[in-house]
Amino acid sequence: MPQQKHSLCGSRNARKKGDTMEKQYDAVIVGCGVAGCFTALHLPQNMKILMITKSDLEESDSFLAQGGICVLRDEEDYESFFEDTMRAGHYENRPESVDMMIRSSRHVIQELIGYGVDFARENGELRYTREGAHSVNRILYHEDITGKEITSKLLDQVKKLENVTLLTHTTMLDVLCRDNRCDGVLLRTEEGELVPVFARYVMWACGGIGGIYENSTNFPHLTGDALAIALKHNIRLQDVSYVQIHPTTLYSTKKERRFLISESVRGEGAHLYDKNGRRFANELMPRDLLSQAIRKQMEKDGTDFVWLSMLPIKDLDVRERFPNIYRKCLEEGYDVTREWIPVVPAQHYFMGGVFIDLDGRTSMERLYAAGETCCNGVHGANRLASNSLLESLVFAENAALHMTRDYEKNRKRQSLESMNEKELPVEVIAEVYGIQMEEFEDSEAYAEHAKHMIWNEIQRDQQEKKLKQEMRKEKAS
């Protein structure tokens, strides 16, 4: 691909409802998944908001979540829910974040139902299912496309907001920052123009890092953009080597995003078999332990996959409970009502990321984060199944409420000391914020550089954790 030369200028073609992209907003939200949408829905409607996504609106990992969303069933479930989350995370979770997520869960679910989200019911009551490492059934779901159901309903609500401009195929390249304060973002539009946009607040809700892996359940355009920018500006990170592998994705020789076979399938009673048709593991182990067991069995058998059978599921019709999985497997030549399917572990979820506090604040002033982009400590070293959607929603709302309080407190004064700079020539804006324009001229080279930055940080974090573990062992002995 030839190098792309860009100028730092405004885009006349960026639009939503006929509007052009403006130079200044009250808030810029990077990402249109559940975290981004919930943020927008909880900000005041007198705030002017820009939401952007790198691809199409439906291509966020939030749409791909199959299994469901956890919820505190009642007060008696609190200790069990808390312990299940902590144990799955190997007790490296932040207890205060786990507590916040659990205690906010009923409120969040009621909001989702109010937005029209249709959870499975039985005799009019919410129906709960169970997944690996949960001690009880506490997961709400919509068929096997819970993420799509939630995200699409939230996105529909966001589209109704007159104060929100939604732009697709728009990429965040950098933040405008100085003195550890975020003043906005540098964007690349669909037309290839580089545009500086000032904002009172910036929310990173731009997903994980699956796009830097060969085998992943994530959309390939989710390449850890916020992580690379955080490394560039010394924004605090946490646990970036904690990357979750999903135990069961449909095996394929094709070079494409791996199709996830939901943990709910095993929660409903599916079995795993080795090449000889023998069960070799407890299917409801935490994901990291089950992934290890599957890889160990593959190595022992000399195979590229193990088998998953839904035939042991007797109490329900898998075609009705898992219609999307059933259809996809049929497309690949497997009828799950008659035969086993080959499955293999693949990269699935990023549990580390940009450090945030309970209010979604990063270490940079006026910069927030939510969802898979960040690390609030809920998941620890291993995410408990179906906690991701809930965690994203809870902390996105927290961040929006914190922005709102700050906005209401300070809206009478000029929002940013630098707002007058939006009228300066773009060359001056670039100089003021230390933007090196040449690094964005070749988009492929820039993406490769960012990928290497992330990999290097993951390896550094791995080595640091390994050293600490060895020191603890040595001290204990």
Side-chain angles (χ1 to χ4, degrees):
M1 177 182 289
Q3 291 188 345
Q4 299 176 357
K5 298 292 184 180
H6 301 284
S7 62
L8 191 64
C9 60
S11 171
R12 296 180 180 177
N13 299 317
R15 57 196 174 273
K16 186 232 179 190
K17 299 180 182 177
D19 296 336
T20 58
M21 183 191 294
E22 299 183 18
K23 297 178 180 179
Q24 177 181 334
Y25 291 86
D26 291 308
V28 172
I29 300 172
V30 185
C32 297
V34 292
C37 288
F38 222 51
T39 301
L41 290 169
H42 285 86
L43 290 173
Q45 293 193 25
N46 60 340
M47 288 180 67
K48 189 167 61 176
I49 301 168
L50 172 66
M51 291 184 70
I52 66 166
T53 178
K54 284 177 74 175
S55 190
D56 296 324
L57 290 177
E58 292 76 19
E59 291 190 352
S60 72
D61 276 357
S62 297
F63 273 89
L64 303 179
Q66 295 177 341
I69 180 170
C70 294
V71 63
L72 180 68
R73 294 192 60 161
D74 50 45
E75 286 304 314
E76 293 181 359
D77 183 37
Y78 176 85
E79 289 187 10
S80 174
F81 194 170
F82 187 90
E83 175 60 21
D84 287 350
T85 301
M86 296 292 291
R87 183 172 60 249
H90 301 287
Y91 299 97
E92 294 191 33
N93 325 58
R94 271 188 251 164
E96 65 274 19
S97 294
V98 177
D99 175 77
M100 172 70 74
M101 178 191 73
I102 294 173
R103 294 192 184 280
S104 303
S105 62
R106 297 300 306 186
H107 155 72
V108 165
I109 294 302
Q110 289 306 314
E111 279 202 61
L112 293 179
I113 292 173
Y115 285 131
V117 174
D118 180 25
F119 292 115
R121 293 178 181 267
E122 190 171 8
N123 299 322
E125 299 295 323
L126 291 170
R127 189 179 191 279
Y128 299 88
T129 189
R130 181 184 176 193
E131 297 184 20
H134 284 272
S135 55
V136 300
N137 291 32
R138 64 166 68 89
I139 299 169
L140 301 176
Y141 63 92
H142 177 91
E143 298 178 351
D144 56 349
I145 52 170
T146 307
K148 181 178 180 180
E149 170 68 10
I150 293 174
T151 314
S152 61
K153 293 294 173 60
L154 294 180
L155 197 53
D156 286 343
Q157 294 297 321
V158 170
K159 289 176 181 177
K160 297 176 183 178
L161 297 176
E162 293 294 331
N163 63 315
V164 175
T165 297
L166 269 169
L167 298 179
T168 61
H169 301 279
T170 303
T171 303
M172 172 183 64
L173 296 176
D174 208 341
V175 289
L176 307 177
C177 64
R178 57 182 175 179
D179 301 325
N180 198 43
R181 185 190 69 210
C182 184
D183 290 346
V185 290
L186 176 65
L187 306 178
R188 175 182 279 127
T189 70
E190 185 173 4
E191 295 76 25
E193 296 175 297
L194 301 191
V195 183
V197 176
F198 288 90
R200 188 191 300 243
Y201 311 103
V202 172
M203 162 60 87
W204 281 348
C206 39
I209 60 173
I212 71 173
Y213 285 80
E214 286 292 325
N215 293 308
S216 174
T217 63
N218 297 184
F219 281 110
H221 65 272
L222 299 176
T223 51
D225 296 354
L227 199 63
I229 295 171
L231 287 167
K232 179 179 178 180
H233 295 289
N234 296 314
I235 298 169
R236 182 179 174 186
L237 305 177
Q238 181 176 341
D239 297 334
V240 295
S241 63
Y242 286 162
V243 180
Q244 188 172 67
I245 307 299
H246 197 286
T248 53
T249 68
L250 187 63
Y251 173 76
S252 174
T253 57
K254 302 174 185 176
K255 292 294 182 182
E256 59 185 26
R257 181 175 64 79
R258 297 302 176 212
F259 181 74
L260 185 147
I261 306 298
S262 171
E263 193 156 349
S264 294
V265 171
R266 287 177 279 116
E268 296 289 3
H271 291 174
L272 286 167
Y273 299 125
D274 65 11
K275 68 176 184 180
N276 297 312
R278 292 192 293 259
R279 291 177 74 182
F280 60 89
N282 173 5
E283 288 85 1
L284 296 182
M285 285 194 294
R287 289 176 175 177
D288 57 339
L289 300 181
L290 186 57
S291 295
Q292 292 171 20
I294 291 174
R295 290 198 181 281
K296 184 177 179 180
Q297 191 63 45
M298 288 163 50
E299 184 177 350
K300 178 181 178 181
D301 290 347
T303 58
D304 294 327
F305 55 83
V306 296
W307 295 102
L308 178 72
S309 174
M310 300 186 199
L311 301 181
I313 302 176
K314 303 297 184 183
D315 298 332
L316 51 82
D317 186 338
V318 296
R319 292 169 297 185
E320 294 180 1
R321 175 66 178 86
F322 305 108
N324 188 50
I325 293 174
Y326 172 70
R327 286 193 297 269
K328 177 64 176 179
C329 288
L330 271 184
E331 291 173 4
E332 296 297 320
Y334 304 102
D335 184 346
V336 298
T337 67
R338 297 174 179 272
E339 58 190 326
W340 304 349
I341 59 174
V343 294
V344 63
Q347 189 279 337
H348 180 55
Y349 196 83
F350 184 42
M351 293 163 298
V354 179
F355 175 91
I356 63 167
D357 64 12
L358 294 178
D359 289 319
R361 292 179 296 180
T362 72
S363 64
M364 177 172 282
E365 187 180 354
R366 296 170 178 159
L367 176 64
Y368 296 75
E372 197 173 352
T373 298
C374 67
C375 180
N376 52 44
V378 160
H379 306 306
N382 179 58
R383 178 172 68 86
L384 180 67
S386 288
N387 264 349
S388 56
L389 289 171
L390 176 61
E391 173 255 326
S392 296
L393 294 165
V394 167
F395 287 88
E397 181 175 358
N398 285 359
L401 294 178
H402 188 273
M403 290 183 222
T404 300
R405 290 193 297 271
D406 186 76
Y407 177 73
E408 296 296 336
K409 179 181 178 182
N410 299 309
R411 64 177 174 171
K412 290 185 179 180
R413 74 180 190 195
Q414 188 176 11
S415 60
L416 291 176
E417 294 82 346
S418 62
M419 280 306 181
N420 290 331
E421 292 171 354
K422 71 182 188 296
E423 303 299 339
L424 294 174
V426 292
E427 296 81 8
V428 178
I429 293 176
E431 184 177 351
V432 167
Y433 287 99
I435 297 172
Q436 304 297 320
M437 299 307 299
E438 59 272 14
E439 69 177 313
F440 305 118
E441 290 178 352
D442 185 334
S443 57
E444 286 191 353
Y446 173 75
E448 194 65 22
H449 173 68
K451 177 179 176 180
H452 284 299
M453 285 176 64
I454 295 171
W455 274 119
N456 289 339
E457 183 62 17
I458 289 174
Q459 292 168 0
R460 186 203 64 76
D461 191 58
Q462 285 175 334
Q463 293 170 356
E464 183 178 292
K465 282 179 166 51
K466 183 179 180 181
L467 180 60
K468 287 181 178 179
Q469 186 178 33
E470 290 174 350
M471 291 175 65
R472 284 195 296 267
K473 287 181 179 179
E474 185 177 325
K475 187 176 180 180
S477 61

